[in-house]
Amino acid sequence: MSTASLPPVAPEVLAEAVEQLTARLRKKLDATVAECAGRAAEGPDGTVEVRFGEDTLVTLRPGASGAVTGPEQAVCTCLLAPRCLHRAAVLGAAPIADGDALPPAGPPSPEPPVTDPVAPDPVAPDPVAAGAVAESRPEAPGVPEAPEAPGVREASEVPETSPSPAQVDAGAALWRAAAEALAAGVTAGGTVVQAELLRAAHTARLAGLPRAEAAALAVVRGLRTAREQGREQRLSDLTAAFRELLAGAVLLASGAAGSAAGPGRRAYEQGGALRVLGLCREPVLSATGYGGVTTHLLGPGGVFHTLSDVRPGGLARAKGAGTASVALGGGVLDHAGLARGGLLISGATVSADGRLGAGRDVRATPVRGADWSEEPVAALFARPVREAVAAVLDAAEPRGGAAPLLGCDVEVLGAAGDHLAVRVLGGGPVVRLRVAHPHPELPHTANLRRIGGFPGLALRVLGRPDPDRAATLRPLAVGPVPGAAHSLRLPEEWRGRADLGYDRLQGDHFPRPAPDGVAGAPVQAGPDPLADAPLWRVRRLLETGVAGGRRAVAEAARGADRAALPVPLRRAGLTVAADLAEALAAEADRRPRDSFGRLKDASSDAYARAWLASAVHLHAAERSLVTASWS
């Protein structure tokens, strides 16, 4: 049995176990953690046992939550226990427990949240470092404020307050631990480094900073997966996790991060009546074995809401949940009906990221939905696409979750490599449609491939913009364009839309024949300012630092051609990016000397600040180029 059968462990339990080890034992910890693979076995009364030789047995006794939340739940039979290498290694091999599985750090909220194990945790937004402003960044149009739903007040509307002294101290601890982990990189970011991050994450939790805690846990999980060379881990994801953790920590430590000290994820607010209209369904499938569905809804004032049903079960659960009953206030609809219908909710509870909660006082009554050609849903597709994208990408940052949905009318140009090229109607840009969920047993890929076989098709698309790719939309649902002669012909019961993750488009859903002069026309890829800009050099330098630590950045800067990094950036007008990259390389290569002239290790604080300034600027510059690509 593999270590996948080990129960989750609370961060502070592992941190304490590593802290109790001697320096000699800490050097052996990572090798011993690797030896735990395949040694776990089920013991009596729900325990898990890991044997080291004939006389040493480590036993984990998870609590009612299924996680090891106290040091007394992990025991070893060796003479050095509990300050032994075996116990710390087993705890280090176990997965890190989520905050939902741990005892509450403070008074419980009156409305327990409906958790979504797949959804990312909100983290503090990036600060704008001094001087780190993207060159020629276009001004994004203002986002009009949506009117508040009757009786519902989202948690994001609660006035922000300054962090308390305990929260400032927690932010400083997070900064120190994250800076040391960044300087070490993946290659040296073993269990000891991870334990320091976990200790800081626990401190943040005790201080009432669930967002900061979630950011630290995301970095730890990323380090683990990268060291194990997991297929699901991308170095760019770990780089983004480090950026968000350091950005939130430095704001907290400065005492200026009101949003970072705000309410935690899924903080549901009690409310009154709320009418929502179904938009589409989206399958949810995680690498950790969870599956389900998220139904996207539209509320008053154009506010997006979601209702999720995610549980253990993997692919089978994701496929079956599309027609499962909606667990909200005794509603009689299933998710398929809700996606094409609506609900009138009394006693509604809404989280800061728009999720609907299912409390005891919530009551839901089915109401007629709205076709995509009817108001207020039709307004989603009438907004100029560049203005809509700018608003969507800006709204995604403070919400901490996935970007809101974007609607637009397009004309299919045809397949182009791994994506589908379409042009926004009315003289808009060429946009790339990429599969939202690439699993072969979900119909996304097959539906997009079939759509690509009908160039000239007019299509109404509802999807999620990809914030990391130029002019890229990941469609969740499609429908016919009102008044278009060459568009989809969907069954009446589908109410003018097809959920690409559940409905399968057939040949009779498409018009024939194709418009004259369209079939067989070559597909022209739209411009990609993100790929054409030399910012990839900065991205590679930052990712090199995450993978190999500050030494790797210093070695990269000592290359034969030291001008290879800044010169192309300055030629492209990206002078700030060049200056920040040079400052990062110089700081990484800096080796101070003590009073006797001997070389000593440089502090990781200055290096982390230089890395963060470059990372924040790169993120802002790339986001500006992505927004401009929709013009």
Side-chain angles (χ1 to χ4, degrees):
M1 187 176 298
S2 69
T3 55
S5 61
L6 290 172
V9 173
E12 65 273 18
V13 176
L14 173 58
E16 182 181 358
V18 174
E19 189 177 299
Q20 292 177 341
L21 296 179
T22 63
R24 181 179 64 85
L25 293 180
R26 290 187 182 188
K27 295 179 180 179
K28 301 179 180 180
L29 182 56
D30 288 333
T32 309
V33 168
E35 293 177 3
C36 293
R39 293 191 177 187
E42 294 183 2
D45 301 328
T47 61
V48 178
E49 299 177 344
V50 181
R51 184 171 293 278
F52 294 86
E54 297 182 357
D55 302 328
T56 302
L57 181 67
V58 177
T59 303
L60 302 182
R61 297 184 175 88
S65 64
V68 176
T69 58
E72 71 282 354
Q73 294 175 288
V75 296
C76 180
T77 60
C78 76
L79 296 178
L80 293 179
R83 299 177 175 84
C84 64
L85 181 63
H86 313 105
R87 179 174 176 270
V90 173
L91 293 173
I96 302 299
D98 288 322
D100 295 330
L102 302 177
S109 66
E111 180 63 33
V114 179
T115 60
D116 179 356
V118 183
D121 294 328
V123 293
D126 292 333
V128 180
V133 180
E135 295 88 351
S136 303
R137 182 176 185 182
E139 292 293 330
V143 183
E145 295 184 359
E148 182 178 328
V152 177
R153 187 185 188 194
E154 294 194 1
S156 59
E157 299 173 7
V158 177
E160 295 179 357
T161 58
S162 299
S164 66
Q167 291 173 334
V168 172
D169 292 342
L174 279 171
W175 172 265
R176 290 191 296 270
E180 291 293 341
L182 179 66
V186 172
T187 55
T191 308
V192 175
V193 173
Q194 296 169 23
E196 293 299 323
L197 276 170
L198 294 176
R199 172 67 72 185
H202 178 60
T203 303
R205 183 168 184 266
L206 294 178
L209 299 170
R211 297 180 185 178
E213 178 202 18
L217 296 184
V219 170
V220 172
R221 294 190 177 101
L223 286 173
R224 287 188 169 193
T225 307
R227 289 177 61 84
E228 296 168 0
Q229 298 181 349
R231 291 179 298 177
E232 66 274 13
Q233 174 63 36
R234 296 189 307 170
L235 192 58
S236 59
D237 294 337
L238 184 54
T239 302
F242 264 111
R243 184 192 73 240
E244 293 173 350
L245 172 59
L246 288 167
V250 74
L251 284 175
L252 283 168
S254 67
S259 59
R265 57 175 179 162
R266 317 287 202 279
Y268 288 84
E269 291 289 319
Q270 299 288 346
L274 178 66
R275 183 188 179 98
V276 293
L277 301 174
L279 294 175
C280 65
R281 294 169 293 168
E282 178 183 8
V284 176
L285 185 62
S286 104
T288 56
Y290 285 87
V293 63
T294 292
T295 298
H296 296 271
L297 308 162
L298 187 67
V303 177
F304 288 102
H305 298 284
T306 56
L307 186 61
S308 298
D309 182 6
V310 181
R311 303 175 187 175
L315 178 64
R317 181 75 177 79
K319 295 169 68 175
T323 54
S325 298
V326 174
L328 182 66
V332 296
L333 283 178
D334 57 17
H335 280 273
L338 177 58
R340 294 179 169 92
L343 285 177
L344 180 60
I345 308 172
S346 62
T349 58
V350 186
S351 72
D353 55 0
R355 301 172 191 262
L356 297 179
R360 292 189 302 268
D361 298 330
V362 177
R363 296 293 181 268
T365 303
V367 296
R368 180 185 178 277
D371 191 273
W372 280 8
S373 60
E374 302 173 0
E375 295 295 343
V377 180
L380 298 177
F381 305 92
R383 194 175 187 182
V385 65
R386 188 182 185 280
E387 177 184 336
V389 167
V392 165
L393 295 182
D394 288 343
E397 294 284 348
R399 287 165 66 97
L405 301 186
L406 170 73
C408 58
D409 294 340
V410 302
E411 177 189 357
V412 176
L413 300 180
D418 60 348
H419 63 271
L420 186 65
V422 300
R423 183 182 298 278
V424 177
L425 295 179
V430 174
V431 177
R432 303 160 181 82
L433 298 186
R434 294 185 181 271
V435 177
H437 298 276
H439 196 286
E441 294 194 39
L442 294 175
H444 286 278
T445 302
N447 282 332
L448 235 65
R449 187 181 296 118
R450 185 175 288 274
I451 292 173
F454 292 85
L457 179 72
L459 200 65
R460 177 157 281 188
V461 181
L462 185 66
R464 185 176 291 112
D466 191 331
D468 300 321
R469 295 178 182 267
T472 299
L473 185 67
R474 298 191 180 272
L476 302 180
V478 296
V481 176
H486 192 69
S487 192
L488 290 176
R489 301 179 301 186
L490 301 178
E492 183 178 353
E493 60 269 19
W494 286 12
R495 292 192 59 84
R497 72 203 71 173
D499 295 333
L500 296 181
Y502 289 102
D503 302 322
R504 291 187 179 272
L505 295 173
Q506 306 297 331
D508 58 352
H509 296 156
F510 294 87
R512 295 180 186 277
D516 296 336
V518 175
V523 176
Q524 298 293 332
D528 191 343
L530 190 60
D532 297 339
L535 288 171
W536 62 267
R537 300 175 184 272
V538 181
R539 190 184 315 113
R540 184 173 65 180
L541 183 67
L542 295 172
E543 292 179 355
T544 297
V546 171
R550 70 180 299 161
R551 290 187 179 181
V553 175
E555 290 295 332
R558 295 193 199 112
D561 188 5
R562 297 179 62 92
L565 176 63
V567 169
L569 293 170
R570 290 196 170 92
R571 285 176 179 171
L574 301 170
T575 56
V576 175
D579 293 342
L580 292 174
E582 281 188 315
L584 171 61
E587 181 58 37
D589 199 27
R590 186 174 66 86
R591 294 293 303 276
R593 296 178 180 272
D594 60 17
S595 56
F596 296 99
R598 296 171 298 192
L599 288 173
K600 64 178 183 179
D601 291 335
S603 170
S604 59
D605 181 80
Y607 170 74
R609 291 182 181 276
W611 187 95
L612 177 60
S614 186
V616 168
H617 178 270
L618 175 66
H619 178 67
E622 289 183 332
R623 182 57 56 87
S624 297
L625 291 175
V626 168
T627 303
S629 68
W630 287 84
S631 300

PDB file of all heavy atoms in Angstrom, residues 80-113:
ATOM      1  N   LEU A  80      13.809   6.841  20.778  1.00  0.00           N
ATOM      2  CA  LEU A  80      13.935   8.284  20.679  1.00  0.00           C
ATOM      3  C   LEU A  80      12.590   8.991  20.571  1.00  0.00           C
ATOM      4  O   LEU A  80      12.533  10.222  20.569  1.00  0.00           O
ATOM      5  CB  LEU A  80      14.798   8.660  19.465  1.00  0.00           C
ATOM      6  CG  LEU A  80      16.275   8.283  19.529  1.00  0.00           C
ATOM      7  CD1 LEU A  80      16.976   8.703  18.247  1.00  0.00           C
ATOM      8  CD2 LEU A  80      16.950   8.926  20.737  1.00  0.00           C
ATOM      9  N   ALA A  81      11.522   8.244  20.441  1.00  0.00           N
ATOM     10  CA  ALA A  81      10.203   8.846  20.264  1.00  0.00           C
ATOM     11  C   ALA A  81       9.851   9.713  21.480  1.00  0.00           C
ATOM     12  O   ALA A  81      10.217   9.386  22.615  1.00  0.00           O
ATOM     13  CB  ALA A  81       9.158   7.757  20.069  1.00  0.00           C
ATOM     14  N   PRO A  82       9.154  10.847  21.262  1.00  0.00           N
ATOM     15  CA  PRO A  82       8.596  11.311  19.976  1.00  0.00           C
ATOM     16  C   PRO A  82       9.547  12.151  19.142  1.00  0.00           C
ATOM     17  O   PRO A  82       9.174  12.622  18.082  1.00  0.00           O
ATOM     18  CB  PRO A  82       7.406  12.160  20.431  1.00  0.00           C
ATOM     19  CG  PRO A  82       7.852  12.752  21.725  1.00  0.00           C
ATOM     20  CD  PRO A  82       8.701  11.698  22.387  1.00  0.00           C
ATOM     21  N   ARG A  83      10.796  12.336  19.628  1.00  0.00           N
ATOM     22  CA  ARG A  83      11.763  13.151  18.892  1.00  0.00           C
ATOM     23  C   ARG A  83      12.588  12.278  17.959  1.00  0.00           C
ATOM     24  O   ARG A  83      13.808  12.371  17.926  1.00  0.00           O
ATOM     25  CB  ARG A  83      12.664  13.912  19.861  1.00  0.00           C
ATOM     26  CG  ARG A  83      11.930  14.871  20.773  1.00  0.00           C
ATOM     27  CD  ARG A  83      12.888  15.527  21.751  1.00  0.00           C
ATOM     28  NE  ARG A  83      12.230  16.542  22.570  1.00  0.00           N
ATOM     29  CZ  ARG A  83      11.554  16.296  23.670  1.00  0.00           C
ATOM     30  NH1 ARG A  83      11.457  15.041  24.103  1.00  0.00           N
ATOM     31  NH2 ARG A  83      10.982  17.262  24.342  1.00  0.00           N
ATOM     32  N   CYS A  84      11.908  11.449  17.197  1.00  0.00           N
ATOM     33  CA  CYS A  84      12.616  10.469  16.375  1.00  0.00           C
ATOM     34  C   CYS A  84      12.433  10.771  14.897  1.00  0.00           C
ATOM     35  O   CYS A  84      11.486  11.453  14.482  1.00  0.00           O
ATOM     36  CB  CYS A  84      12.131   9.061  16.686  1.00  0.00           C
ATOM     37  SG  CYS A  84      10.405   8.760  16.277  1.00  0.00           S
ATOM     38  N   LEU A  85      13.330  10.209  14.100  1.00  0.00           N
ATOM     39  CA  LEU A  85      13.295  10.407  12.657  1.00  0.00           C
ATOM     40  C   LEU A  85      12.131   9.674  12.016  1.00  0.00           C
ATOM     41  O   LEU A  85      11.521  10.179  11.058  1.00  0.00           O
ATOM     42  CB  LEU A  85      14.626   9.924  12.059  1.00  0.00           C
ATOM     43  CG  LEU A  85      14.799  10.065  10.552  1.00  0.00           C
ATOM     44  CD1 LEU A  85      14.762  11.533  10.146  1.00  0.00           C
ATOM     45  CD2 LEU A  85      16.125   9.429  10.117  1.00  0.00           C
ATOM     46  N   HIS A  86      11.774   8.487  12.534  1.00  0.00           N
ATOM     47  CA  HIS A  86      10.710   7.687  11.912  1.00  0.00           C
ATOM     48  C   HIS A  86       9.372   8.420  11.957  1.00  0.00           C
ATOM     49  O   HIS A  86       8.651   8.499  10.956  1.00  0.00           O
ATOM     50  CB  HIS A  86      10.583   6.337  12.635  1.00  0.00           C
ATOM     51  CG  HIS A  86      11.884   5.651  12.871  1.00  0.00           C
ATOM     52  ND1 HIS A  86      12.477   5.615  14.108  1.00  0.00           N
ATOM     53  CD2 HIS A  86      12.709   5.001  12.031  1.00  0.00           C
ATOM     54  CE1 HIS A  86      13.612   4.953  14.035  1.00  0.00           C
ATOM     55  NE2 HIS A  86      13.788   4.561  12.781  1.00  0.00           N
ATOM     56  N   ARG A  87       9.037   8.969  13.110  1.00  0.00           N
ATOM     57  CA  ARG A  87       7.757   9.661  13.265  1.00  0.00           C
ATOM     58  C   ARG A  87       7.690  10.885  12.366  1.00  0.00           C
ATOM     59  O   ARG A  87       6.676  11.129  11.687  1.00  0.00           O
ATOM     60  CB  ARG A  87       7.582  10.050  14.727  1.00  0.00           C
ATOM     61  CG  ARG A  87       6.302  10.813  15.054  1.00  0.00           C
ATOM     62  CD  ARG A  87       6.186  11.010  16.556  1.00  0.00           C
ATOM     63  NE  ARG A  87       5.028  11.822  16.928  1.00  0.00           N
ATOM     64  CZ  ARG A  87       5.055  13.150  17.035  1.00  0.00           C
ATOM     65  NH1 ARG A  87       6.204  13.804  16.824  1.00  0.00           N
ATOM     66  NH2 ARG A  87       3.967  13.815  17.365  1.00  0.00           N
ATOM     67  N   ALA A  88       8.771  11.688  12.344  1.00  0.00           N
ATOM     68  CA  ALA A  88       8.780  12.880  11.492  1.00  0.00           C
ATOM     69  C   ALA A  88       8.712  12.504  10.021  1.00  0.00           C
ATOM     70  O   ALA A  88       8.058  13.197   9.222  1.00  0.00           O
ATOM     71  CB  ALA A  88      10.034  13.707  11.769  1.00  0.00           C
ATOM     72  N   ALA A  89       9.344  11.409   9.622  1.00  0.00           N
ATOM     73  CA  ALA A  89       9.335  11.002   8.216  1.00  0.00           C
ATOM     74  C   ALA A  89       7.940  10.571   7.771  1.00  0.00           C
ATOM     75  O   ALA A  89       7.495  10.914   6.672  1.00  0.00           O
ATOM     76  CB  ALA A  89      10.336   9.876   7.992  1.00  0.00           C
ATOM     77  N   VAL A  90       7.243   9.823   8.612  1.00  0.00           N
ATOM     78  CA  VAL A  90       5.889   9.395   8.251  1.00  0.00           C
ATOM     79  C   VAL A  90       4.959  10.601   8.150  1.00  0.00           C
ATOM     80  O   VAL A  90       4.151  10.700   7.221  1.00  0.00           O
ATOM     81  CB  VAL A  90       5.367   8.368   9.271  1.00  0.00           C
ATOM     82  CG1 VAL A  90       3.904   8.047   9.008  1.00  0.00           C
ATOM     83  CG2 VAL A  90       6.196   7.095   9.210  1.00  0.00           C
ATOM     84  N   LEU A  91       5.069  11.508   9.106  1.00  0.00           N
ATOM     85  CA  LEU A  91       4.254  12.716   9.035  1.00  0.00           C
ATOM     86  C   LEU A  91       4.597  13.538   7.798  1.00  0.00           C
ATOM     87  O   LEU A  91       3.723  14.148   7.171  1.00  0.00           O
ATOM     88  CB  LEU A  91       4.445  13.557  10.293  1.00  0.00           C
ATOM     89  CG  LEU A  91       3.907  12.952  11.594  1.00  0.00           C
ATOM     90  CD1 LEU A  91       4.308  13.822  12.786  1.00  0.00           C
ATOM     91  CD2 LEU A  91       2.394  12.795  11.544  1.00  0.00           C
ATOM     92  N   GLY A  92       5.877  13.561   7.417  1.00  0.00           N
ATOM     93  CA  GLY A  92       6.287  14.297   6.226  1.00  0.00           C
ATOM     94  C   GLY A  92       5.829  13.647   4.943  1.00  0.00           C
ATOM     95  O   GLY A  92       5.676  14.324   3.923  1.00  0.00           O
ATOM     96  N   ALA A  93       5.607  12.334   4.952  1.00  0.00           N
ATOM     97  CA  ALA A  93       5.123  11.638   3.754  1.00  0.00           C
ATOM     98  C   ALA A  93       3.622  11.744   3.585  1.00  0.00           C
ATOM     99  O   ALA A  93       3.097  11.512   2.496  1.00  0.00           O
ATOM    100  CB  ALA A  93       5.529  10.162   3.815  1.00  0.00           C
ATOM    101  N   ALA A  94       2.906  12.083   4.659  1.00  0.00           N
ATOM    102  CA  ALA A  94       1.450  12.180   4.592  1.00  0.00           C
ATOM    103  C   ALA A  94       1.033  13.487   3.929  1.00  0.00           C
ATOM    104  O   ALA A  94       1.769  14.473   3.958  1.00  0.00           O
ATOM    105  CB  ALA A  94       0.853  12.092   5.997  1.00  0.00           C
ATOM    106  N   PRO A  95      -0.140  13.521   3.314  1.00  0.00           N
ATOM    107  CA  PRO A  95      -0.622  14.781   2.718  1.00  0.00           C
ATOM    108  C   PRO A  95      -0.940  15.811   3.788  1.00  0.00           C
ATOM    109  O   PRO A  95      -1.208  15.467   4.942  1.00  0.00           O
ATOM    110  CB  PRO A  95      -1.872  14.347   1.947  1.00  0.00           C
ATOM    111  CG  PRO A  95      -2.312  13.069   2.602  1.00  0.00           C
ATOM    112  CD  PRO A  95      -1.068  12.395   3.075  1.00  0.00           C
ATOM    113  N   ILE A  96      -0.923  17.083   3.383  1.00  0.00           N
ATOM    114  CA  ILE A  96      -1.230  18.178   4.287  1.00  0.00           C
ATOM    115  C   ILE A  96      -2.742  18.351   4.359  1.00  0.00           C
ATOM    116  O   ILE A  96      -3.424  18.391   3.343  1.00  0.00           O
ATOM    117  CB  ILE A  96      -0.563  19.481   3.830  1.00  0.00           C
ATOM    118  CG1 ILE A  96       0.958  19.284   3.743  1.00  0.00           C
ATOM    119  CG2 ILE A  96      -0.890  20.613   4.782  1.00  0.00           C
ATOM    120  CD1 ILE A  96       1.604  18.927   5.049  1.00  0.00           C
ATOM    121  N   ALA A  97      -3.266  18.447   5.563  1.00  0.00           N
ATOM    122  CA  ALA A  97      -4.712  18.582   5.747  1.00  0.00           C
ATOM    123  C   ALA A  97      -5.175  19.958   5.320  1.00  0.00           C
ATOM    124  O   ALA A  97      -4.484  20.967   5.538  1.00  0.00           O
ATOM    125  CB  ALA A  97      -5.086  18.323   7.202  1.00  0.00           C
ATOM    126  N   ASP A  98      -6.354  20.008   4.699  1.00  0.00           N
ATOM    127  CA  ASP A  98      -6.981  21.281   4.355  1.00  0.00           C
ATOM    128  C   ASP A  98      -7.521  21.938   5.615  1.00  0.00           C
ATOM    129  O   ASP A  98      -7.776  21.283   6.627  1.00  0.00           O
ATOM    130  CB  ASP A  98      -8.131  21.073   3.369  1.00  0.00           C
ATOM    131  CG  ASP A  98      -7.623  20.710   1.987  1.00  0.00           C
ATOM    132  OD1 ASP A  98      -6.594  21.274   1.575  1.00  0.00           O
ATOM    133  OD2 ASP A  98      -8.240  19.850   1.329  1.00  0.00           O
ATOM    134  N   GLY A  99      -7.733  23.242   5.542  1.00  0.00           N
ATOM    135  CA  GLY A  99      -8.268  23.965   6.691  1.00  0.00           C
ATOM    136  C   GLY A  99      -9.648  23.493   7.090  1.00  0.00           C
ATOM    137  O   GLY A  99     -10.019  23.551   8.258  1.00  0.00           O
ATOM    138  N   ASP A 100     -10.449  22.984   6.102  1.00  0.00           N
ATOM    139  CA  ASP A 100     -11.796  22.528   6.424  1.00  0.00           C
ATOM    140  C   ASP A 100     -11.793  21.286   7.310  1.00  0.00           C
ATOM    141  O   ASP A 100     -12.776  21.000   7.988  1.00  0.00           O
ATOM    142  CB  ASP A 100     -12.563  22.210   5.139  1.00  0.00           C
ATOM    143  CG  ASP A 100     -12.775  23.453   4.291  1.00  0.00           C
ATOM    144  OD1 ASP A 100     -12.867  24.542   4.879  1.00  0.00           O
ATOM    145  OD2 ASP A 100     -12.832  23.330   3.060  1.00  0.00           O
ATOM    146  N   ALA A 101     -10.693  20.507   7.278  1.00  0.00           N
ATOM    147  CA  ALA A 101     -10.624  19.286   8.064  1.00  0.00           C
ATOM    148  C   ALA A 101     -10.048  19.510   9.451  1.00  0.00           C
ATOM    149  O   ALA A 101      -9.961  18.577  10.243  1.00  0.00           O
ATOM    150  CB  ALA A 101      -9.770  18.240   7.322  1.00  0.00           C
ATOM    151  N   LEU A 102      -9.660  20.751   9.762  1.00  0.00           N
ATOM    152  CA  LEU A 102      -9.018  21.051  11.032  1.00  0.00           C
ATOM    153  C   LEU A 102     -10.001  21.713  11.981  1.00  0.00           C
ATOM    154  O   LEU A 102     -10.986  22.309  11.564  1.00  0.00           O
ATOM    155  CB  LEU A 102      -7.821  21.984  10.797  1.00  0.00           C
ATOM    156  CG  LEU A 102      -6.752  21.446   9.840  1.00  0.00           C
ATOM    157  CD1 LEU A 102      -5.666  22.482   9.645  1.00  0.00           C
ATOM    158  CD2 LEU A 102      -6.165  20.143  10.346  1.00  0.00           C
ATOM    159  N   PRO A 103      -9.744  21.612  13.278  1.00  0.00           N
ATOM    160  CA  PRO A 103     -10.614  22.292  14.241  1.00  0.00           C
ATOM    161  C   PRO A 103     -10.592  23.790  14.009  1.00  0.00           C
ATOM    162  O   PRO A 103      -9.581  24.347  13.585  1.00  0.00           O
ATOM    163  CB  PRO A 103      -9.978  21.933  15.602  1.00  0.00           C
ATOM    164  CG  PRO A 103      -9.156  20.727  15.345  1.00  0.00           C
ATOM    165  CD  PRO A 103      -8.688  20.832  13.936  1.00  0.00           C
ATOM    166  N   PRO A 104     -11.703  24.477  14.252  1.00  0.00           N
ATOM    167  CA  PRO A 104     -11.744  25.916  14.002  1.00  0.00           C
ATOM    168  C   PRO A 104     -10.761  26.655  14.888  1.00  0.00           C
ATOM    169  O   PRO A 104     -10.575  26.330  16.057  1.00  0.00           O
ATOM    170  CB  PRO A 104     -13.193  26.291  14.318  1.00  0.00           C
ATOM    171  CG  PRO A 104     -13.700  25.202  15.208  1.00  0.00           C
ATOM    172  CD  PRO A 104     -12.979  23.956  14.785  1.00  0.00           C
ATOM    173  N   ALA A 105     -10.114  27.667  14.297  1.00  0.00           N
ATOM    174  CA  ALA A 105      -9.143  28.460  15.046  1.00  0.00           C
ATOM    175  C   ALA A 105      -9.808  29.540  15.878  1.00  0.00           C
ATOM    176  O   ALA A 105      -9.190  30.158  16.712  1.00  0.00           O
ATOM    177  CB  ALA A 105      -8.131  29.095  14.090  1.00  0.00           C
ATOM    178  N   GLY A 106     -11.074  29.808  15.634  1.00  0.00           N
ATOM    179  CA  GLY A 106     -11.791  30.839  16.356  1.00  0.00           C
ATOM    180  C   GLY A 106     -13.226  30.429  16.536  1.00  0.00           C
ATOM    181  O   GLY A 106     -13.598  29.280  16.348  1.00  0.00           O
ATOM    182  N   PRO A 107     -14.112  31.355  16.898  1.00  0.00           N
ATOM    183  CA  PRO A 107     -15.521  31.025  17.064  1.00  0.00           C
ATOM    184  C   PRO A 107     -16.128  30.594  15.749  1.00  0.00           C
ATOM    185  O   PRO A 107     -15.835  31.169  14.706  1.00  0.00           O
ATOM    186  CB  PRO A 107     -16.140  32.343  17.554  1.00  0.00           C
ATOM    187  CG  PRO A 107     -15.166  33.399  17.156  1.00  0.00           C
ATOM    188  CD  PRO A 107     -13.829  32.777  17.179  1.00  0.00           C
ATOM    189  N   PRO A 108     -16.965  29.552  15.746  1.00  0.00           N
ATOM    190  CA  PRO A 108     -17.544  29.078  14.505  1.00  0.00           C
ATOM    191  C   PRO A 108     -18.504  30.084  13.922  1.00  0.00           C
ATOM    192  O   PRO A 108     -19.154  30.833  14.618  1.00  0.00           O
ATOM    193  CB  PRO A 108     -18.278  27.792  14.920  1.00  0.00           C
ATOM    194  CG  PRO A 108     -18.572  27.992  16.368  1.00  0.00           C
ATOM    195  CD  PRO A 108     -17.466  28.830  16.915  1.00  0.00           C
ATOM    196  N   SER A 109     -18.570  30.083  12.581  1.00  0.00           N
ATOM    197  CA  SER A 109     -19.496  30.987  11.902  1.00  0.00           C
ATOM    198  C   SER A 109     -20.890  30.420  11.994  1.00  0.00           C
ATOM    199  O   SER A 109     -21.091  29.224  12.081  1.00  0.00           O
ATOM    200  CB  SER A 109     -19.094  31.142  10.430  1.00  0.00           C
ATOM    201  OG  SER A 109     -19.264  29.934   9.759  1.00  0.00           O
ATOM    202  N   PRO A 110     -21.927  31.284  11.955  1.00  0.00           N
ATOM    203  CA  PRO A 110     -23.292  30.793  12.097  1.00  0.00           C
ATOM    204  C   PRO A 110     -23.745  29.966  10.923  1.00  0.00           C
ATOM    205  O   PRO A 110     -24.666  29.189  11.058  1.00  0.00           O
ATOM    206  CB  PRO A 110     -24.114  32.087  12.205  1.00  0.00           C
ATOM    207  CG  PRO A 110     -23.262  33.144  11.566  1.00  0.00           C
ATOM    208  CD  PRO A 110     -21.861  32.745  11.858  1.00  0.00           C
ATOM    209  N   GLU A 111     -23.106  30.105   9.778  1.00  0.00           N
ATOM    210  CA  GLU A 111     -23.530  29.366   8.595  1.00  0.00           C
ATOM    211  C   GLU A 111     -22.375  28.513   8.094  1.00  0.00           C
ATOM    212  O   GLU A 111     -21.443  29.014   7.469  1.00  0.00           O
ATOM    213  CB  GLU A 111     -23.961  30.336   7.481  1.00  0.00           C
ATOM    214  CG  GLU A 111     -24.407  29.638   6.214  1.00  0.00           C
ATOM    215  CD  GLU A 111     -25.626  28.782   6.430  1.00  0.00           C
ATOM    216  OE1 GLU A 111     -26.474  29.144   7.258  1.00  0.00           O
ATOM    217  OE2 GLU A 111     -25.729  27.735   5.785  1.00  0.00           O
ATOM    218  N   PRO A 112     -22.303  27.218   8.388  1.00  0.00           N
ATOM    219  CA  PRO A 112     -21.190  26.403   7.913  1.00  0.00           C
ATOM    220  C   PRO A 112     -21.177  26.360   6.404  1.00  0.00           C
ATOM    221  O   PRO A 112     -22.205  26.206   5.767  1.00  0.00           O
ATOM    222  CB  PRO A 112     -21.485  25.011   8.510  1.00  0.00           C
ATOM    223  CG  PRO A 112     -22.938  25.029   8.823  1.00  0.00           C
ATOM    224  CD  PRO A 112     -23.311  26.438   9.107  1.00  0.00           C
ATOM    225  N   PRO A 113     -19.993  26.513   5.789  1.00  0.00           N
ATOM    226  CA  PRO A 113     -19.929  26.599   4.343  1.00  0.00           C
ATOM    227  C   PRO A 113     -20.072  25.244   3.682  1.00  0.00           C
ATOM    228  O   PRO A 113     -19.779  24.220   4.263  1.00  0.00           O
ATOM    229  CB  PRO A 113     -18.520  27.167   4.102  1.00  0.00           C
ATOM    230  CG  PRO A 113     -17.728  26.699   5.267  1.00  0.00           C
ATOM    231  CD  PRO A 113     -18.686  26.673   6.430  1.00  0.00           C
TER     232      PRO A 113
END
